[in-house]
Amino acid sequence: RTTDALDTGAGEKASAVGFDWAGVDGVLDKVREELAELEEALQIGEGIAAEYGDLLQSCAHVGRHIGVPPESALRQANRRFSDRFRAMEALAAAEGIELSTASAHTLDALWERIKASP
């Protein structure tokens, strides 16, 4: 276990005593609430780290409610992103596209092609 690993023990303890949402819908509502609070913090330029942390914690609670460990899901997502980005680099090279000078539209189009491929 790394020092920055997510501590889900407190959430599990809270759930065990009934301090929890009845289902995933309540947690998703909380995620939306925390996202709105982060957006507000970004607008005013204060409390950004705290609101970001609250959003991440709420997302971790979603994982607990759906039976998907958050750290595992994030590792898989990072791996998918890395694999897709390398594939996008290869596709761009094959088509003579320089990623560093490509437009946002071109980058998005390449990304969508990679995501759509098996």
Side-chain angles (χ1 to χ4, degrees):
R1 180 175 154 113
T2 61
T3 57
D4 63 346
L6 179 65
D7 180 6
T8 57
E12 290 167 358
K13 283 182 177 180
S15 180
V17 299
F19 188 65
D20 201 355
W21 293 271
V24 71
D25 289 341
V27 188
L28 292 172
D29 288 342
K30 186 64 173 175
V31 168
R32 286 186 278 274
E33 175 188 320
E34 294 298 348
L35 178 58
E37 290 177 8
L38 174 59
E39 289 171 336
E40 183 179 330
L42 288 166
Q43 287 178 353
I44 63 173
E46 292 179 11
I48 295 168
E51 295 302 341
Y52 180 55
D54 290 348
L55 175 61
L56 291 175
Q57 183 180 40
S58 296
C59 289
H61 284 298
V62 171
R64 188 170 48 79
H65 274 263
I66 63 174
V68 176
E71 286 179 90
S72 174
L74 184 56
R75 279 191 193 95
Q76 289 174 12
N78 283 337
R79 198 169 16 257
R80 271 192 320 276
F81 178 85
S82 180
D83 291 346
R84 286 175 177 166
F85 190 79
R86 281 194 299 274
M88 189 175 89
E89 288 176 312
L91 177 60
E95 295 185 1
I97 299 169
E98 180 62 44
L99 291 181
S100 63
T101 58
S103 69
H105 175 75
T106 298
L107 294 172
D108 287 342
L110 288 168
W111 184 258
E112 291 304 318
R113 285 173 59 194
I114 292 302
K115 279 180 54 179
S117 65

